[in-house]
Amino acid sequence: MEAFKIIGGQPLKGEVKAAGAKNAITKMLVASLLSDKRCIFSNVPDISEVETTVNLCKEIGMEVAWDREAGTIEVVTKEIKSSYIPMHFSGANRIPILTMGALLGRTRENIIVPTVGGCKIGKRPVDFHIMALEALGATVEDRMIKKDRAYFAHAPDGLKGTRIKLPYPSVMATENAILAACRAKGKTVIENGAMEPEVIDLILFLQKLGAVIHVDVNRKIYIEEAKHFYEVEHSVITDRIEAASFGMAAISTKGRVFVKGAKQEHMITFLNKLRRINGGFSVKSDGIEFYHQGPLKGGLHLETDVHPGFLTDWQQPFVILLTQASGSSVVHETVYENRFGYIKTLKEMGADVELFTQCLGGRPCRFGAQNYEHSLIVKGPTPFVGKEIEVPDLRAGFAYVMAALLAPEPSTLTGLRYLDRGYENLETKLQSLGANIERVGIPATEEALISV
């Protein structure tokens, strides 16, 4: 097992380049399965989530040439060799469910995919996915394969365009519906669709690929059947989550970091919240510089929401920022019901945070009457102390890294597989900014002690 050894107390200073967006490239790799044309992607992050997705697509028949150093992937799926996604991909990430939308219009065979995985931050029901695919003419069943659950999907009569209204603007349900609609006969309208930058990047890729697709007002997406497909070259958008993560780490440690590639238009809501707590930033032509410009001010009310609201993946490191701000602030999580599982460890490190089941926000949310601890009050500023930590999920993991960078005592973080899913060469980038962090192997005896 590997671990991060971190000794904090030093400001982060320098320049770092944000990688391509995990939540964009993984979806576009699956989307390329729609056609037999060659696709070349640039600005591809070298992270385990991409590697898992590549391995999954290879099972289907994709040929892949990945230059990790150059950040490019060239793919082509000349034929579908298998529409069965092996069960060992169950729990690896959430990507397998998207293969249903991509393959339904390309094969009449049963598409068999394992159940949804990813970080343990709350329920991720596939009801919206199934509703959308069935509206387009697919049959989807939940079955058992030996001791494992799997989804069986097929469209023996082909897919037909229709009108789909999603009950909630789920990102992946929107993407699944879009992929299926690209090969459905006629026209499809998706109402209440997700509008995240990563979804828009997927739409831009699909238009290059041959789809007739556009976005209208009120979260409506229009898709017509793709008659012809074309070879594509596409540069993946910058990861706005990684960019914000480094920005928050810089400000919390009282440093100054230029994040090359950070896009203002993808981070407007986040930047507004930074300004309200006196977090410094300056937008440049090729990125954003983040800096500590004085004491951070609390008194903030923050609610996560779908885009263009405050991204739920920014929430955990932002709570770390708020622990360093004077006064009390309120955070209301409306996207995932169990996203505050990391708070217990933060309190042990010194954070003054209290959780609530009530909606401490400007509006009630779907978790309000379900007894989930989905609101909190954080008070600051508070110092942190070092601790041995088991990382539970990707974004909580970066929050723990930030907390460790604030603690003058040593911290040990295990469970790095979660961080490796979404952050490219994290320790190397932090080292370049002056952080005292190293990746080390943990002997079995020490590993057992940490897990106790």
Side-chain angles (χ1 to χ4, degrees):
M1 182 177 71
E2 292 184 319
F4 281 159
K5 296 282 190 179
I6 302 174
I7 301 176
Q10 298 297 320
L12 299 184
K13 295 181 179 180
E15 178 180 316
V16 66
K17 181 181 182 298
K22 170 183 79 73
N23 292 332
I25 180 58
T26 50
K27 316 300 182 56
M28 287 186 280
L29 285 169
V30 173
S32 73
L33 296 169
L34 283 165
S35 84
D36 60 356
K37 301 299 183 182
R38 189 171 304 277
C39 300
I40 302 173
F41 300 101
S42 57
N43 198 33
V44 177
D46 184 6
I47 55 176
S48 64
E49 188 88 336
V50 174
E51 185 167 16
T52 299
T53 304
V54 164
N55 291 336
L56 183 155
C57 291
K58 283 181 176 179
E59 296 278 353
I60 294 170
M62 180 181 284
E63 299 171 23
V64 180
W66 185 1
D67 187 333
R68 295 171 185 259
E69 187 173 341
T72 61
I73 289 184
E74 184 175 324
V75 302
V76 62
T77 310
K78 297 175 183 176
E79 60 177 326
I80 303 300
K81 295 180 179 179
S82 173
S83 57
Y84 168 72
I85 309 299
M87 290 301 108
H88 65 257
F89 285 100
S90 176
N93 61 20
R94 294 172 290 152
I95 298 302
I97 196 73
L98 278 184
T99 59
M100 292 198 296
L103 295 179
L104 275 169
R106 197 169 172 191
T107 179
R108 293 293 185 264
E109 300 295 322
N110 266 330
I111 301 156
I112 305 171
V113 304
T115 52
V116 175
C119 294
K120 298 177 181 178
I121 55 177
K123 295 179 181 178
R124 303 201 180 192
V126 298
D127 300 10
F128 302 160
H129 297 249
I130 294 172
M131 178 206 74
L133 296 177
E134 289 181 337
L136 288 162
T139 299
V140 184
E141 300 175 50
D142 185 344
R143 301 184 192 172
M144 295 294 295
I145 297 182
K146 295 182 179 180
K147 295 182 179 180
D148 297 309
R149 285 181 57 218
Y151 302 108
F152 284 64
H154 68 122
D157 299 322
L159 300 173
K160 295 180 180 179
T162 187
R163 183 175 294 271
I164 300 166
K165 185 170 184 178
L166 294 173
Y168 180 81
S170 159
V171 169
M172 290 196 71
T174 300
E175 292 165 335
N176 225 340
I178 289 173
L179 295 187
C182 284
R183 276 185 170 265
K185 294 186 182 300
K187 299 180 180 180
T188 299
V189 180
I190 301 171
E191 298 181 17
N192 200 31
M195 293 291 142
E196 273 68 3
E198 296 80 11
V199 176
I200 300 301
D201 204 30
L202 174 65
I203 288 172
L204 294 175
F205 164 73
L206 289 171
Q207 187 180 57
K208 293 178 183 179
L209 191 65
V212 178
I213 181 170
H214 74 276
V215 176
D216 204 347
V217 296
N218 299 328
R219 296 185 174 275
K220 289 184 179 179
I221 304 170
Y222 294 82
I223 310 109
E224 296 179 26
E225 178 187 9
K227 303 288 187 180
H228 304 284
F229 291 98
Y230 306 86
E231 293 191 351
V232 174
E233 292 185 10
H234 190 84
S235 180
V236 181
I237 62 170
T238 299
D239 196 313
R240 61 194 173 119
I241 305 170
E242 184 189 29
S245 297
F246 281 112
M248 288 183 276
I251 294 170
S252 66
T253 61
K254 299 182 179 180
R256 178 181 287 266
V257 173
F258 177 70
V259 183
K260 190 173 183 180
K263 300 290 186 182
Q264 178 189 14
E265 61 267 31
H266 297 162
M267 304 169 69
I268 293 173
T269 306
F270 166 74
L271 295 174
N272 284 337
K273 295 298 184 184
L274 272 189
R275 276 268 159 83
R276 286 175 181 160
I277 65 169
N278 198 38
F281 68 88
S282 178
V283 179
K284 312 291 185 181
S285 61
D286 57 345
I288 302 176
E289 186 174 41
F290 297 91
Y291 54 90
H292 184 267
Q293 63 180 4
L296 298 177
K297 301 175 183 178
L300 183 74
H301 176 253
L302 186 155
E303 285 185 293
T304 64
D305 207 344
V306 296
H307 189 78
F310 193 92
L311 180 64
T312 180
D313 288 334
W314 290 329
Q315 174 256 112
Q316 299 91 329
F318 209 97
V319 168
I320 302 296
L321 265 186
L322 293 175
T323 67
Q324 305 306 297
S326 59
S328 300
S329 295
V330 174
V331 178
H332 180 207
E333 172 63 51
T334 76
V335 179
Y336 292 117
E337 68 271 29
N338 290 328
R339 200 115 214 211
F340 288 148
Y342 68 100
I343 293 298
K344 180 177 182 293
T345 297
L346 282 191
K347 292 177 73 170
E348 292 171 356
M349 297 182 75
D352 186 352
V353 183
E354 293 299 327
L355 296 171
F356 298 85
T357 58
Q358 297 91 338
C359 293
L360 300 184
R363 58 181 177 80
C365 75
R366 54 195 176 138
F367 309 130
Q370 300 185 44
N371 207 35
Y372 292 115
E373 291 182 325
H374 68 294
S375 296
L376 63 77
I377 294 178
V378 52
K379 300 176 182 178
T382 56
F384 281 99
V385 296
K387 183 176 170 55
E388 293 180 344
I389 303 167
E390 175 69 25
V391 172
D393 66 73
L394 173 57
R395 305 308 171 187
F398 193 86
Y400 290 153
V401 169
M402 281 180 61
L405 290 172
L406 292 168
E409 303 87 3
S411 295
T412 302
L413 276 67
T414 54
L416 301 191
R417 66 188 183 280
Y418 291 109
L419 284 163
D420 291 340
R421 284 184 57 215
Y423 292 98
E424 180 185 66
N425 302 322
L426 179 57
E427 71 275 18
T428 303
K429 290 182 176 180
L430 288 173
Q431 286 166 357
S432 73
L433 300 176
N436 188 341
I437 178 174
E438 60 176 335
R439 184 184 291 250
V440 299
I442 299 293
T445 53
E446 188 176 343
E447 179 183 341
L449 289 173
I450 291 174
S451 62
V452 171

